[in-house]
Structure formats: structure tokens, C-alpha cells
Amino acid sequence: MSRLARHTCLILFTAAVWANPAIRPGMWSITSKMNMEGMKVNIPPTTVKQCMKPEDAQNMSRPSMPKSPDGKPPACTMLSNSMTGNTMVYRMKCTGAQPSEISGSMTFGTDSYSGKTTVDSMGPQGRMRMSTEFSAKRLGDCK
């Protein structure tokens, strides 16, 4: 999985943890389907498993994002985050080697969530737009 894809999965999971105090801790399966604008190659869906600990579920107002897979804290800021019913709409901005703006929406249940995110970024090859549709479900307790 590319660093951008891992970073996006991390952001999606973090946004879910921040947004919904009703989400239960445990092992989660998160499936995402990415589409890169201008690419003619079909990117297959990716599924990752993530353990959300009880303290993650209880501490919904932490001031910073968790570390990325490479161990460095991402330089991202949540610009807006609103909840209407069980749906969250959000917008973030990340700076650094690959600056990006992220927007999306997520709809939650206690043991599931789904949504769509769009990432606009600038990289060495110029502007890129990646759209990701995702769904997640709680599998049970962490092992």
C-alpha cells in the first residue's frame, strides 16, 4: 500500500474516532476503494484491520492527529467538522512534502461507518485528485 493510501486510511480512522462517541472499541475492518483522477488503471479495493482501544473511544477531543505509519506526526489540521444526526461532514488541510486538502462525509452506526473522501494534493508530478469510498465494520474485540 502506498504511503498516501496508508496516510488516507489513518486519517479516515482518526476522523471516525473523533466524530462519534458511540463507536465501540474493538477490531475494525476498513475497506476502501480509491479512484485517481486521470488514471486509466482500476485500483482494486483495499481492506485493513485496525484495533481501536477503549481509551481511543473515550478520548474524542485529543488535540493532535496520531502518528502516521512512518512514525512521524502528520502536519494536518481539521478545518471544519460538523455532525447532523449520524452524518459527519469534514474538511482538513495537510502541509509538508505533499500538501493536501481533504474533504468528505461519513455516516455512522455503533458497529459500522461508511463515507467518501476527496483528497486534492500537489506532488512532484503536479496536482492530483484522489476519491475514496469506504466502509468499516466492527469485527469483535481486539486480539
Side-chain angles (χ1 to χ4, degrees):
M1 185 185 298
S2 74
R3 277 206 276 177
L4 180 58
R6 286 192 306 254
H7 187 71
T8 300
C9 287
L10 178 66
I11 289 170
L12 296 175
F13 187 75
T14 302
V17 171
W18 279 354
N20 188 16
I23 284 183
R24 296 192 312 150
M27 183 62 68
W28 285 75
S29 174
I30 306 162
T31 300
S32 60
K33 172 72 173 115
M34 291 185 213
N35 179 38
M36 297 286 288
E37 189 176 278
M39 280 186 64
K40 296 179 182 177
V41 175
N42 186 16
I43 303 170
T46 301
T47 300
V48 296
K49 289 183 180 174
Q50 174 75 44
C51 178
M52 182 171 60
K53 299 174 184 167
E55 57 270 23
D56 296 331
Q58 292 173 0
N59 187 9
M60 299 301 168
S61 60
R62 53 181 172 243
S64 62
M65 303 279 284
K67 290 184 179 178
S68 64
D70 63 5
K72 296 178 182 176
C76 297
T77 303
M78 185 74 76
L79 300 176
S80 64
N81 181 4
S82 63
M83 287 291 291
T84 303
N86 66 338
T87 299
M88 175 184 72
V89 177
Y90 57 92
R91 201 165 60 89
M92 301 171 69
K93 185 171 189 169
C94 299
T95 59
Q98 194 168 359
S100 57
E101 291 194 19
I102 302 158
S103 61
S105 63
M106 300 174 80
T107 302
F108 299 94
T110 303
D111 290 332
S112 66
Y113 62 87
S114 63
K116 182 174 182 176
T117 296
T118 301
V119 179
D120 288 303
S121 63
M122 288 299 291
Q125 297 157 344
R127 181 187 168 280
M128 294 187 315
R129 172 170 272 190
M130 178 180 68
S131 297
T132 305
E133 292 186 27
F134 53 90
S135 61
K137 63 181 178 181
R138 186 178 183 276
L139 302 174
D141 294 335
C142 296
K143 297 179 186 217

